[in-house]
Structure formats: structure tokens, C-alpha cells
Amino acid sequence: MKQTVYVKRWGLLPVVGAVLLTAIPSPAAEDVVALRQADMKAMAAAAKTISGMFKDPGSYKAAEFRWAADTIRDRSGSVLSGHFASEAASPQSKAKPNIIEERDRFDRIANDLRDYAAALDAAAEKNPGPMPAGMRMKPGEAMGGGPLGTQVRNERELSAMPAEHVFHLLLQTCTTCHARFRME
């Protein structure tokens, strides 16, 4: 009889608790959304820094360029994928739930971003002085890729491209990801 009283009194408590926990967004989920939003803002600021140096090559500073490229590299790839390892949908997030359904595609895009950022870092390391003409694209040079067809090239091909071209591929990768996986 005491067991029956216990089950009647406390038996529903775990069930009610489980229902409440699934209905209320967890602080951990909110923390992940805040972290990935902070990382996205940091990558956007880094891209703006690099863009400014290509717009005004006289402002090029290899250390700042590398810092910006490293900021993107360190927040992309598996780090970026990890931010979306579970349910992407959240009231605070603009991520579409299709990230989970298209995990392989999302991971490839995150890795493309990392690879392009690493190639930018290598270009800055090779060019510690003023920005040389070899880092810039030549007028009329084909861009490749495209917002819906980003292609990863191997490290050798990336290092043979002007850094500005690699930067455009990086930006196209961002555009591709946002078009496919971000709500407007």
C-alpha cells in the first residue's frame, strides 16, 4: 500500500518534468545559438577587414589579414558544424531545420569555408610586406564557383590562385550557406 501511495504521488513527477523540459528551450540550446551567432558576427567582421584591404591595397597589413583569415578558419569547418550538431531550430535562431536533413552538404560548405580561410592565411604569410599584385585578381579573370555551385579546390590549386579570387570563393560559400540554410 505504501508503494501504491508513492507511485500515485511521485510516479507522474518524472513524466511531468520530462514534458516541461521538452517544452521549454534549454539554456544550453540558447547558449549554442548565442555562441554560433557570435561566431558568425566575428567571421563577418573578419571578412569585412579582408575586403577593406582588397579595396584599398595600401591598407594591407599581413598580420591583420592573417588574423582575419584565422578568425574565419577557426570558426568554420568542424567548429561551425558542431554548432549545428543537433536541432537547429530555435526561437532565437535564423537557421533552417534542413541543416539536420542535409548534414553532409552543410558540413562540406563549412569545410570549404575553412579551406578558403586557410588559403588566405597562407597567402598573407607569403606576403608580409605590401600587398603584391599577385594577390589581386586581374581584370576579366574568371571567378569560378558561384552562389549555388561552390567548389572546393585542392590546396595546390588554391595556393596558385590570387588571394582575392580565394576571398571571392569564400564569400560565395557564405552566400551559398545562407541561401540554403538561413531563414530571412
Side-chain angles (χ1 to χ4, degrees):
M1 184 148 130
K2 286 190 178 206
Q3 185 179 18
T4 307
V5 170
Y6 174 80
V7 171
K8 285 182 182 178
R9 184 177 282 174
W10 302 107
L12 290 178
L13 186 61
V15 173
V16 171
V19 169
L20 289 175
L21 287 175
T22 58
I24 300 169
S26 72
E30 291 174 9
D31 290 347
V32 169
V33 171
L35 178 60
R36 68 187 184 209
Q37 288 174 343
D39 279 358
M40 295 290 181
K41 286 178 183 178
M43 288 191 285
K48 190 173 182 177
T49 297
I50 293 170
S51 178
M53 290 185 200
F54 282 124
K55 285 180 183 171
D56 178 14
S59 69
Y60 173 76
K61 292 179 178 60
E64 287 178 31
F65 193 99
R66 285 189 75 193
W67 169 85
D70 292 347
T71 296
I72 297 168
R73 182 202 61 209
D74 294 346
R75 288 168 172 78
S76 56
S78 61
V79 173
L80 180 59
S81 293
H83 288 327
F84 296 91
S86 61
E87 186 66 31
S90 166
Q92 297 82 17
S93 177
K94 293 183 180 179
K96 290 182 181 176
N98 65 335
I99 292 173
I100 304 303
E101 299 158 10
E102 299 181 47
R103 170 59 50 196
D104 290 340
R105 185 174 186 176
F106 183 83
D107 290 348
R108 267 193 319 273
I109 290 171
N111 289 333
D112 289 351
L113 189 62
R114 179 205 58 220
D115 294 345
Y116 295 141
L120 290 172
D121 174 274
E125 184 177 9
K126 290 178 193 172
N127 298 289
M131 183 183 284
M135 283 183 71
R136 304 295 311 274
M137 290 180 63
K138 294 164 189 64
E141 185 174 355
M143 290 270 292
L148 300 175
T150 307
Q151 298 173 340
V152 174
R153 292 169 169 55
N154 65 43
E155 188 178 332
R156 185 176 53 87
E157 288 178 13
L158 283 173
S159 66
M161 286 181 192
E164 189 174 17
H165 188 162
V166 175
F167 181 62
H168 286 287
L169 291 173
L170 181 141
L171 293 177
Q172 289 174 354
T173 301
C174 295
T175 300
T176 298
C177 190
H178 284 200
R180 187 77 186 157
F181 299 113
R182 186 172 193 255
M183 292 184 265
E184 291 304 315

